[in-house]
Amino acid sequence: MKRFFACLTSAAMMLSFGGLLPETLPAVVFAEQEDGTEAEEGLTYDEETATLTLSGEISGRELTAFVRNVTNPVRHIVAAEGAVFPENASWLFENTKAQGSLFAELETADFSKADTSKTTNMAGMFHDCVKLQKVDLSGFDTSNVIDFQHMFGMCESLTELDLSSFDTANAEIMEYMFWGDDKLETIYVSDQWSMEKVTRSTSMFIFDYALTGGNGTVFDESKDDGTYACIDTADAPGYFTRKQPEPVETTTTTIETTTTTTETTTTTTETTTTETTTPTTTRPTTGPGSTTTVEQTTTVTQETTTEPTVTEPNETETLTGDVSGDGVIDTADAMLLARFLSRMIDSLPDPDAADVDGDGAVTIADAMILMRYVNGWKGYDVYFKAKS
């Protein structure tokens, strides 16, 4: 049964990633209508299908207040005909503790009928929506959008994105736009995609290991910024695939998959067995003239044991996650670790603090845990404690 909840006006919420330089993560301001008025048609939630329907003038304040009053998780979002997004639509569906983890279970979004013609800021719109698997953005008019940073960051369940409706002629900021989408294989764009005015594209594709362009270009850690933010062709490598407006002849593209083998060193014991056969003196047997040759076998066993290298513990206390070594765990540490893993920097001030999950290796998992912790996710505080 469909239930309608009245939209309640509440104070705007802000999330600030403190201690970070402006060119990386800005302060987060949730979207709201410029005049502060309530949406005319309102918002509806269908409990049976767990679907949130957007209609009328969308306000970030009202959306947040409305979803907070929904008992069950929102798994699907649909924009009805005439749904108009605000000029500042940044962080609108972001999944963070500060926003109450309202979209932690979001799986699909259909914005094919949405009106975004007046929107200029889409930064962080779906950031951290880790269960989002499919999003229809065919109705998006992005011709006026300037800021796309973090728009799809850490959408870990996405395998495909169709951005063929995106016109980025006026875009200036795209840093971290697709970061942490390690299952994302294909991004479709059209000839409307442009990087001409973009001035900030740092780590645009960082950790997107599965990403492959339409001509077979595979992800390269040294090219995780906007360098390859173009349609992949024989003449110019890129991470995007051209979306044809009309059906074309079916072609077969062979993509080579590279398998990485990790060698693990363990303590081993080698046993060497040497058998020596020595003939003995011939001695007579019962009966005249009869002899028997007896061979004696001696087995020598030699054991060689390789002992593991033991490193004496550092007496200096290390704060897990504080890779900058400043005594504080914040977003600056998360970005520093991300840059180290993407080989943008060669070392960390405190490398001992980088193995957040304690598995003995510094990997993308450590960077994501650290980012979620500083982002306020529940349950991640168990990783961050002093160790000696």
Side-chain angles (χ1 to χ4, degrees):
M1 177 181 180
K2 183 175 289 188
R3 295 177 55 189
F4 178 85
F5 294 90
C7 292
L8 301 176
T9 303
S10 64
M13 299 182 62
M14 300 181 68
L15 175 63
S16 174
F17 295 89
L20 195 62
L21 296 176
E23 64 267 21
T24 52
L25 278 172
V28 177
V29 181
F30 292 107
E32 60 177 313
Q33 285 179 237
E34 296 299 319
D35 57 3
T37 59
E38 295 184 358
E40 296 178 4
E41 287 81 8
L43 305 166
T44 58
Y45 177 72
D46 187 332
E47 286 188 331
E48 292 182 359
T49 62
T51 300
L52 172 68
T53 301
L54 313 178
S55 58
E57 295 281 339
I58 307 303
S59 162
R61 285 180 174 180
E62 294 169 359
L63 177 64
T64 299
F66 179 85
V67 178
R68 284 186 183 281
N69 287 299
V70 172
T71 305
N72 298 321
V74 174
R75 300 187 186 279
H76 313 283
I77 300 179
V78 176
E81 187 77 44
V84 180
F85 279 49
E87 181 177 348
N88 178 14
S90 62
W91 314 94
L92 199 59
F93 307 106
E94 184 198 19
N95 174 43
T96 62
K97 181 180 178 182
Q99 198 175 349
S101 300
L102 303 181
F103 299 103
E105 303 297 325
L106 182 63
E107 298 174 3
T108 69
D110 182 357
F111 296 137
S112 58
K113 298 179 181 179
D115 180 357
T116 61
S117 57
K118 69 178 183 180
T119 304
T120 61
N121 190 345
M122 290 187 176
M125 183 177 284
F126 303 101
H127 191 262
D128 264 358
C129 289
V130 294
K131 293 190 177 181
L132 183 62
Q133 301 173 24
K134 185 177 181 181
V135 55
D136 186 343
L137 304 174
S138 59
F140 267 30
D141 177 353
T142 63
S143 57
N144 292 314
V145 178
I146 297 172
D147 193 346
F148 286 102
Q149 65 177 308
H150 294 272
M151 186 174 183
F152 303 101
M154 295 181 70
C155 291
E156 298 175 2
S157 297
L158 280 178
T159 59
E160 179 180 295
L161 264 177
D162 187 347
L163 308 183
S164 58
S165 65
F166 277 36
D167 177 352
T168 60
N170 288 308
E172 298 178 8
I173 307 172
M174 288 188 177
E175 54 193 359
Y176 296 95
M177 186 173 180
F178 306 100
W179 90 279
D181 299 344
D182 56 352
K183 292 183 179 65
L184 184 59
E185 300 174 358
T186 308
I187 301 175
Y188 294 103
V189 300
S190 70
D191 291 330
Q192 296 183 102
W193 183 275
S194 172
M195 297 288 288
E196 185 175 352
K197 293 185 179 180
V198 175
T199 58
R200 290 162 54 182
S201 64
T202 302
S203 300
M204 188 173 175
F205 302 99
I206 189 172
F207 302 141
D208 295 346
Y209 299 119
L211 191 58
T212 303
N215 196 52
T217 297
V218 297
F219 176 72
D220 181 348
E221 290 183 342
S222 67
K223 299 290 191 302
D224 63 12
D225 59 2
T227 303
Y228 280 7
C230 59
I231 296 172
D232 190 22
T233 66
D235 299 324
Y239 294 142
F240 296 153
T241 300
R242 177 180 278 109
K243 180 70 177 288
Q244 302 291 353
E246 297 294 337
V248 295
E249 294 182 7
T250 303
T251 57
T252 302
T253 302
T254 301
I255 301 175
E256 295 184 359
T257 303
T258 302
T259 302
T260 302
T261 303
T262 302
E263 296 183 357
T264 304
T265 302
T266 57
T267 301
T268 59
T269 300
E270 294 183 1
T271 301
T272 304
T273 302
T274 304
E275 292 189 356
T276 305
T277 302
T278 306
T280 63
T281 305
T282 302
R283 67 176 182 272
T285 59
T286 303
S290 298
T291 60
T292 300
T293 299
V294 179
E295 293 185 349
Q296 182 178 8
T297 301
T298 303
T299 301
V300 180
T301 302
Q302 180 180 359
E303 292 189 355
T304 302
T305 303
T306 302
E307 294 293 339
T309 301
V310 179
T311 303
E312 293 297 328
N314 191 344
E315 295 182 358
T316 304
E317 192 175 67
T318 297
L319 184 62
T320 303
D322 179 26
V323 296
S324 65
D326 63 357
V328 179
I329 304 174
D330 53 22
T331 310
D333 294 300
M335 292 297 99
L336 192 63
L337 181 54
R339 290 192 176 101
F340 172 72
L341 289 170
S342 64
R343 300 179 183 177
M344 295 176 65
I345 56 176
D346 296 328
S347 61
L348 295 169
D350 190 352
D352 293 335
D355 182 17
V356 177
D357 58 12
D359 66 351
V362 180
T363 66
I364 181 177
D366 297 301
M368 287 190 172
I369 291 172
L370 181 54
M371 178 59 78
R372 288 176 180 175
Y373 172 72
V374 300
N375 231 356
W377 281 51
K378 295 180 180 178
Y380 284 84
D381 55 334
V382 297
Y383 292 99
F384 301 90
K385 55 186 178 180
K387 59 183 179 181
S388 56

